[in-house]
Amino acid sequence: MTENTVSNAVAVRDNGPGAMVEAYSADLATVMPSHVRPETFVRLAVGVLRRDRKLTEAAQNNPAALMGALMDAAQLGLTPGTEQFYLVPRKVKGRLEIQGIRGYQGEIELIYRAGAVSSVIVEVVRGSDGFRYAPGRDERPEHDIDWDAEDRGPLRLVYAYAVMKDGATSKVVVLNRAQVMQAKAMSQGSDTPYSPWQKHEEAMWMKTAAHRLTKWVPTSAEYMREQLRAHAEVAAEVRPAVVAPTPQPVTTVDHDDDEGPIDAEFVDDEPAAGWPPAAQPGTGARA
């Protein structure tokens, strides 16, 4: 976002954060993926700001932080104020400001959008659940849940994996409580009362596992472009070769100053990668 956009956002601050977002809908639209409808994105963002008094206060305190968070959500094509992309207030130098945090549904959405997987499974394992998984022996975890139990116990593990479109199983990510707590400690503002770690702990466990899974599966439309390029290259290789006409004999005259034939080298230049790169973009069924 340009300095001019930030200064203009400050200028419309007195009209409220909703008016601020509407005023800069064109800026947001310029960075959105083609599948996102700008008017829908703006309407949902305005709605969540107007429903939450703390978010309204945080947006008025720092319009640039609000617009920065919304720009991040827009670039990823994720819905702000949902479990795809949280908008949360946090204290900075004693004043509330808005922070954008990608949620577990957002991580899963980016995986699906790449087009390489048929399903993504992300689940938490609680104290009374049965869980078995041995890497190298088991293709997928076995997770037994007593759905009649009133209390399945505390969060114990979380796991995530994807089923690729060819039926293969991706790497299975399994994290225990200590590993999740390490991730939480690295999350800015996770100990504040406004953090999704405090309000949506199970969802943040799932987000942590889903985020780790993104290291092992495609999460970008670049994957689809590479597939199309590969198909085009294969198609070019199997095209019938063009048969050159049989050369006819020609009469040549020798001269002492004639030069021999000049060897020519044909170079097939590789086109530069395009810009911008595509956006990187749950539980058994698609979230």
Side-chain angles (χ1 to χ4, degrees), residues 115-119 139-140 162-170 223 227:
V117 307
S118 60
S119 62
E139 182 182 10
R140 300 173 187 176
V163 179
M164 314 306 288
K165 285 195 170 177
D166 62 2
T169 301
S170 73
Y223 172 82
Q227 291 292 94

Side-chain angles (χ1 to χ4, degrees), residues 83-281:
E83 288 189 334
Q84 284 193 355
F85 194 92
Y86 295 104
L87 292 177
V88 297
R90 61 165 179 163
K91 279 195 174 182
V92 178
K93 296 181 179 179
R95 294 205 318 165
L96 290 178
E97 295 182 359
I98 283 184
Q99 178 184 14
I101 300 175
R102 196 185 309 178
Y104 88 94
Q105 289 186 2
E107 301 283 359
I108 293 170
E109 171 65 20
L110 296 178
I111 294 173
Y112 272 117
R113 201 181 296 162
V117 307
S118 60
S119 62
V120 180
I121 292 81
V122 185
E123 290 285 358
V124 294
V125 180
R126 291 187 172 270
S128 63
D129 295 353
F131 182 81
R132 292 172 299 281
Y133 175 66
R137 184 194 69 188
D138 302 327
E139 182 182 10
R140 300 173 187 176
E142 292 186 21
H143 184 189
D144 299 324
I145 300 174
D146 180 2
W147 295 109
D148 288 327
E150 293 185 7
D151 184 1
R152 289 169 49 201
L155 292 166
R156 181 163 64 95
L157 302 168
V158 64
Y159 64 93
Y161 65 89
V163 179
M164 314 306 288
K165 285 195 170 177
D166 62 2
T169 301
S170 73
K171 178 180 176 63
V172 178
V173 174
V174 181
L175 302 174
N176 59 27
R177 172 173 285 276
Q179 292 169 310
V180 175
M181 291 302 101
Q182 288 176 358
K184 177 183 177 181
M186 296 176 64
S187 177
Q188 192 174 36
S190 61
D191 57 345
T192 67
Y194 311 110
S195 171
W197 281 102
Q198 306 299 324
K199 294 184 175 183
H200 310 284
E201 184 182 18
E202 181 174 310
M204 292 306 289
W205 277 56
M206 296 168 71
K207 176 261 174 78
T208 304
H211 183 69
R212 297 285 179 92
L213 180 61
T214 61
K215 299 178 181 179
W216 303 97
V217 296
T219 60
S220 165
E222 181 64 29
Y223 172 82
M224 293 302 295
R225 285 201 290 269
E226 290 298 328
Q227 291 292 94
L228 292 172
R229 180 186 297 179
H231 287 312
E233 291 175 352
V234 170
E237 289 176 359
V238 299
R239 281 188 196 134
V242 178
V243 180
T246 304
Q248 300 298 319
V250 296
T251 302
T252 60
V253 179
D254 291 332
H255 296 284
D256 292 339
D257 59 349
D258 281 349
E259 294 181 354
I262 300 175
D263 294 330
E265 180 182 4
F266 293 88
V267 179
D268 184 11
D269 292 329
E270 180 73 14
W275 178 262
Q280 329 183 0

Side-chain angles (χ1 to χ4, degrees), residues 23-90:
Y24 294 97
S25 58
D27 295 80
L28 295 166
T30 60
V31 299
M32 291 179 188
S34 58
H35 73 278
V36 178
R37 298 181 61 183
E39 61 273 18
T40 301
F41 180 98
V42 169
R43 184 169 63 252
L44 292 172
V46 170
V48 72
L49 289 170
R50 288 176 175 168
R51 287 194 304 269
D52 191 315
R53 183 177 58 83
K54 289 294 184 182
L55 283 180
T56 300
E57 179 186 346
Q60 290 173 331
N61 287 340
N62 191 335
L66 166 65
M67 297 308 296
L70 292 179
M71 288 291 279
D72 288 343
Q75 286 178 319
L76 294 170
L78 302 178
T79 305
T82 69
E83 288 189 334
Q84 284 193 355
F85 194 92
Y86 295 104
L87 292 177
V88 297
R90 61 165 179 163

